[in-house]
Amino acid sequence: MYSVAFPSFCVHGPRHEEDIMDLVRREVEKCDRLGGFFNMMSMAGGTGSGMGTYITQCLRDTYPHSFILNQVTWPYGTGEVIVQNYNSVLTLSHLYQSSDAILVHENDTVHKICAQLMNIKQISFKDVNKVIAHQLGSVLQPAYTEGASEYNRNPLGDLMKSMVCHPEYKLLGLRNIPQMSETSLAYSVFTWPGLLKHLRQMLIANAKMEEGIDWQVRPPAGGLPPAEKGTHNKQLRFNTSLANLLILRGKDVQSADTGGFMDPALYTSWLPPGVASSTWRTPMSFNRYEKSATLVSNSQFLLKPLDGIVGKAWNMFASRAYVHQYTQFGISEEDFLDSFTALEQIIASYTHL
Amino acid sequence: MGGGTGSGLGTFVLNVLEDEFPEVYRIVTSVYPSAEDDVITSPYNSVLAMRELTEHADCVLPIENQSLVDIVNKIKHMSHSGKLGAEIKQSSTIISGQGGVKGQEKPFDAMNNIVANMLLNLTSSARFEGSLNMDLNEITMNLVPFPNLHYLVSSLTPLYTLADVNVPSRRLDQMFSDAFSKDHQLIHSDPKHSLYLACALIVRGDVQVSDLRRNIERLKPSLPFVSWNQEGWKTGLCSVPPVGHSHSLLALANNTCVKPTFIELKDRFMKLYKKRAHLHHYLHVDGMEQSCFSEAFSSLSSLIEEYNQLDATKGLLMTDAQRLNIAV
């Protein structure tokens, strides 16, 4: 609904701003301590993307020092809304200015998880949403940060601290294993080394789920100069990271060895070693999984989908199709160009990690 | 469009609505005349009306009587064929007025019911809940890439359901295939051999997102889409099906296949206009001048030309537009 988003962004947003910000203020005042804002929205349709972006901007203006995390659902590649690529470009470029971090879920990936890992035959949005909720729960449920003796009081803040060290790099991805159907779960046994090995390879090889992982991809050998490293990585489709956060929940969690994620070869060369990787743990099991491991990462894994979206949007823009729908609500061609430029910049930054 | 009231008063009301409520979308269903229209001046009426529709409507759903007749005949044939197991539920056909005003069935009722059912499907998301709601304004927003090219081909399925509950209901996928078959279209045209600019699937009933995605994947390869909109699908899911069905589908396609209909209209107009036949009836009316005719004619010609330009891109290998270069 950026298609109807721009009415949302330009018309409905301002119209309802006062009411919405009023509601927010009441909730904020009730808090002893404001941890931050967690906004959830889709990027393809109208209300989510338009209204969501507008509200995020309002929140940023009203609460300049609060953390704002936006969870954004990326649409199916084969189309849910025809102007989804325009909406995505406009949303992401605006969110980058007001939000602290953008946590991405791709409908295609979640759909595949439902189909291939959960064995659901007729997948409904309820199933898709359940998977997303599980993944988010695995991040936001209480846990102990490193060396802490109490549960973290400020998960949003801790998340930002670990993941977003540079304002140019705000795109976060989530991988959570294991994920399987009830029936399979009854017959499965998990070990921390096994789970961590899979997660690490999923990160390196840019696998979105625990199936079809390419075990051939390896991190580059140490000591390569940055330029050569880049070519090496591109050839092997190696996914370079900026930051990684492991969240481990379940039995014997203290014994889990996360050393594999501290390997400097996984990270971009301009980061000082040791800062890029962190781990949260709790012995409490999560959602009927005896052991559950989540990886939140700021890496190149969204580069290809982002490039795809921008490419398609640009092609459409070249023919000016649908642009009149936006200009009639106040989004000019210059605004489009600004958004495209912002995203090309983000793509370039992530490419050269 | 062929008669006077529809084309004249109808488009006048359209203009009034635009003046009074400029922000509200105007979606128009118009019945286009067939070749053997009994109104001799129908080409004039139609072309004059076309100009109004192009300039003042946001979205037009053209209907042809011949297509409606074909659908009615198909249903009547099915119900009278008496094939074993093929008996259809009378109330479920899209020509039945079940649930509407009772009384003697009037002529054209069956045909009108088809259009009524199409409109019901169009507005279903606005009236009932669903997992992927689609408002009326989203139809315009998603299906109209350029302001004048807002003529959509509609097709409805299923036409009926079988009465015998022991016969398994036609596979869901069949419903999607039917939506792209010419037998279910409300105008005679050939979308599969023209160019799709955009397509919307408005689904009602017990259908999930995976069914939708699967069928889009399946049908996509056989449908030619314009280069900059290869994945141009808009989808809506409403959980409440129409009376008598477990699910239904309305497909709206913005496709260059409407061009031949317009060209035919233009030709029939020219046949009369060349000889200035019947023109004096119109020019007697205050406010009507010859320029109305010539302007209407050029409006139609430019519309056809816009479609031509898009058709010219069909099948050409379009290179991706060069992306912005960012200094690193």
Side-chain angles (χ1 to χ4, degrees):
Chain A
M1 241 154 70
Y2 242 92
S3 62
V4 189
F6 271 92
S8 275
F9 188 76
C10 299
V11 175
H12 299 313
R15 199 182 284 163
H16 299 290
E17 180 183 344
E18 217 180 297
D19 290 332
I20 295 175
M21 293 313 284
D22 228 19
L23 283 169
V24 172
R25 187 180 45 82
R26 260 181 268 159
E27 291 302 314
V28 169
E29 285 171 5
K30 275 192 231 164
C31 298
D32 295 323
R33 180 161 164 248
L34 179 64
F37 297 99
F38 180 51
N39 303 336
M40 296 183 66
M41 50 196 260
S42 84
M43 200 165 70
T47 330
S49 56
M51 190 74 117
T53 313
Y54 187 78
I55 297 298
T56 305
Q57 216 164 283
C58 293
L59 288 173
R60 177 51 78 212
D61 293 335
T62 315
Y63 304 97
H65 304 295
S66 295
F67 291 116
I68 301 180
L69 172 64
N70 281 70
Q71 185 274 344
V72 179
T73 304
W74 285 26
Y76 287 101
T78 48
E80 296 168 25
V81 174
I82 290 175
V83 288
Q84 64 188 45
N85 297 314
Y86 279 169
N87 290 350
S88 304
V89 167
L90 293 165
T91 306
L92 285 173
S93 55
H94 281 85
L95 277 186
Y96 234 75
Q97 290 167 20
S98 14
S99 181
D100 289 310
I102 300 168
L103 182 59
V104 174
H105 277 100
E106 293 170 84
N107 266 348
D108 280 311
T109 305
V110 181
H111 193 106
K112 272 201 205 121
I113 290 175
C114 288
Q116 293 172 18
L117 297 182
M118 316 280 291
N119 267 318
I120 302 173
K121 293 284 174 271
Q122 235 202 342
I123 300 167
S124 66
F125 277 121
K126 202 162 156 205
D127 300 311
V128 172
N129 289 340
K130 232 169 143 183
V131 172
I132 296 181
H134 172 93
Q135 294 197 342
L136 289 174
S138 76
V139 176
L140 296 170
Q141 288 279 294
Y144 296 101
T145 52
E146 273 166 295
S149 52
E150 291 167 347
Y151 275 130
N152 56 1
R153 310 272 192 86
N154 190 9
L156 275 188
D158 290 329
L159 192 65
M160 298 301 153
K161 190 177 79 168
S162 315
M163 302 305 303
V164 194
C165 58
H166 190 299
E168 188 64 13
Y169 303 93
K170 291 184 179 173
L171 297 175
L172 306 182
L174 223 167
R175 287 167 184 78
N176 167 275
I177 61 174
Q179 281 218 266
M180 49 183 54
S181 61
E182 291 270 4
T183 35
S184 308
L185 193 55
Y187 299 104
S188 310
V189 171
F190 306 106
T191 64
W192 287 118
L195 287 174
L196 290 171
K197 188 167 173 212
H198 276 221
L199 258 190
R200 184 172 181 273
Q201 194 60 27
M202 281 166 72
L203 171 66
I204 295 173
N206 206 5
K208 309 255 169 113
M209 56 182 213
E210 201 180 3
E211 197 157 301
I213 304 174
D214 185 353
W215 291 91
Q216 298 298 321
V217 182
R218 295 244 175 283
L224 272 182
E228 258 185 62
K229 203 174 168 196
T231 350
H232 166 280
N233 291 350
K234 245 201 182 138
Q235 282 168 354
L236 292 170
R237 294 174 332 255
F238 173 76
N239 182 34
T240 308
S241 300
L242 195 52
N244 283 304
L245 168 64
L246 273 171
I247 304 170
L248 308 175
R249 299 178 186 276
K251 198 163 157 211
D252 302 327
V253 81
Q254 291 309 327
S255 68
D257 175 13
T258 59
F261 288 87
M262 300 200 224
D263 182 357
L266 264 54
Y267 299 95
T268 182
S269 47
W270 48 261
L271 273 178
V275 299
S277 155
S278 32
T279 310
W280 298 355
R281 299 169 202 252
T282 171
M284 295 287 291
S285 67
F286 177 64
N287 204 11
R288 59 190 178 86
Y289 291 95
E290 186 201 61
K291 298 187 177 79
S292 164
T294 300
L295 176 65
V296 184
S297 74
N298 190 341
S299 69
Q300 291 174 317
F301 88 104
L302 276 175
L303 196 44
K304 201 152 157 257
L306 182 59
D307 194 60
I309 289 176
V310 174
K312 286 189 212 154
W314 187 247
N315 269 336
M316 198 182 261
F317 188 68
S319 67
R320 294 295 184 275
Y322 297 100
V323 174
H324 71 283
Q325 308 273 11
Y326 292 79
T327 50
Q328 74 182 31
F329 288 105
I331 305 293
S332 66
E333 289 192 16
E334 273 81 57
D335 293 323
F336 268 97
L337 285 172
D338 287 340
S339 291
F340 276 114
T341 314
L343 287 186
E344 294 284 6
Q345 182 67 63
I346 296 167
I347 291 172
S349 304
Y350 270 101
T351 309
H352 291 96
L353 261 188
Chain B
M1 300 263 286
T5 326
S7 61
L9 187 57
T11 53
F12 179 76
V13 170
L14 184 64
N15 273 287
V16 168
L17 287 173
E18 189 182 33
D19 293 333
E20 293 288 312
F21 308 103
E23 317 251 295
V24 181
Y25 287 104
R26 293 166 295 283
I27 300 179
V28 182
T29 39
S30 344
V31 182
Y32 279 65
S34 46
E36 319 84 28
D37 203 307
D38 48 359
V39 177
I40 297 183
T41 50
S42 79
Y44 283 159
N45 293 337
S46 307
V47 175
L48 289 168
M50 271 295 290
R51 183 208 175 165
E52 301 300 316
L53 289 181
T54 302
E55 291 181 13
H56 303 289
D58 294 300
C59 196
V60 178
L61 301 165
I63 316 266
E64 272 174 21
N65 277 337
Q66 192 53 50
S67 304
L68 298 180
V69 165
D70 289 343
I71 291 177
V72 170
N73 286 338
K74 191 162 179 238
I75 294 175
K76 292 240 161 86
H77 177 78
M78 262 315 277
S79 57
H80 293 137
S81 68
K83 271 199 283 220
L84 213 63
E87 209 183 283
I88 59 179
K89 262 203 266 182
Q90 283 306 320
S91 62
S92 73
T93 66
I94 63 168
I95 61 171
S96 89
Q98 192 73 13
V101 176
K102 298 252 192 291
Q104 272 292 82
E105 189 174 293
K106 301 199 285 290
F108 291 110
D109 261 3
M111 290 162 66
N112 288 340
N113 278 329
I114 298 175
V115 183
N117 274 305
M118 186 267 282
L119 292 173
L120 283 176
N121 280 342
L122 196 64
T123 58
S124 59
S125 234
R127 296 178 291 115
F128 300 113
E129 30 124 86
S131 53
L132 200 55
N133 277 325
M134 192 166 120
D135 274 340
L136 290 176
N137 50 12
E138 288 182 58
I139 293 171
T140 330
M141 288 286 198
N142 280 284
L143 292 174
V144 184
F146 303 104
N148 288 342
L149 305 185
H150 55 239
Y151 294 86
L152 309 180
V153 176
S154 44
S155 42
L156 263 179
T157 109
L159 301 178
Y160 51 77
T161 51
L162 298 175
D164 187 349
V165 292
N166 289 325
V167 176
S169 56
R170 303 184 88 187
R171 279 168 48 236
L172 196 58
D173 292 13
Q174 184 62 48
M175 178 176 84
F176 282 89
S177 302
D178 284 344
F180 290 91
S181 117
K182 289 202 226 167
D183 294 339
H184 291 250
Q185 282 167 211
L186 301 188
I187 74 166
H188 276 144
S189 62
D190 193 4
K192 281 193 180 169
H193 293 106
S194 307
L195 199 59
Y196 277 88
L197 303 181
C199 188
L201 297 175
I202 302 170
V203 185
R204 297 178 67 173
D206 185 21
V207 183
Q208 301 303 342
V209 61
S210 52
D211 301 312
L212 202 50
R213 304 249 58 91
R214 181 182 67 245
N215 279 288
I216 291 178
E217 293 289 328
R218 187 173 60 87
L219 294 165
K220 217 164 67 111
S222 59
L223 303 172
F225 271 80
V226 72
S227 65
W228 42 257
N229 206 3
Q230 289 288 309
E231 285 101 16
W233 295 87
K234 167 71 184 156
T235 52
L237 283 171
C238 171
S239 18
V240 180
V243 173
H245 294 267
S246 58
H247 35 70
S248 78
L249 170 63
L250 168 65
L252 296 174
N254 192 340
N255 189 305
T256 56
C257 64
V258 290
K259 198 179 69 176
T261 312
F262 298 155
I263 292 177
E264 220 186 278
L265 218 55
K266 190 174 104 157
D267 291 342
R268 278 191 252 138
F269 176 92
M270 272 321 281
K271 266 207 191 112
L272 289 178
Y273 192 62
K274 258 198 316 219
K275 304 281 172 54
R276 302 290 186 267
H278 302 283
L279 215 51
H280 55 284
H281 297 299
Y282 292 80
L283 298 177
H284 275 160
V285 178
D286 246 344
M288 286 285 320
E289 288 157 3
Q290 198 145 317
S291 58
C292 297
F293 283 79
S294 48
E295 281 163 16
F297 180 79
S298 54
S299 158
L300 186 56
S301 303
S302 4
L303 182 68
I304 293 172
E305 187 45 38
E306 276 192 65
Y307 278 111
N308 269 334
Q309 282 176 4
L310 284 166
D311 267 337
T313 66
K314 184 172 184 221
L316 288 180
L317 202 62
M318 302 297 283
T319 47
D320 286 339
Q322 181 136 63
R323 298 266 290 272
L324 295 173
N325 250 325
I326 303 288
V328 173

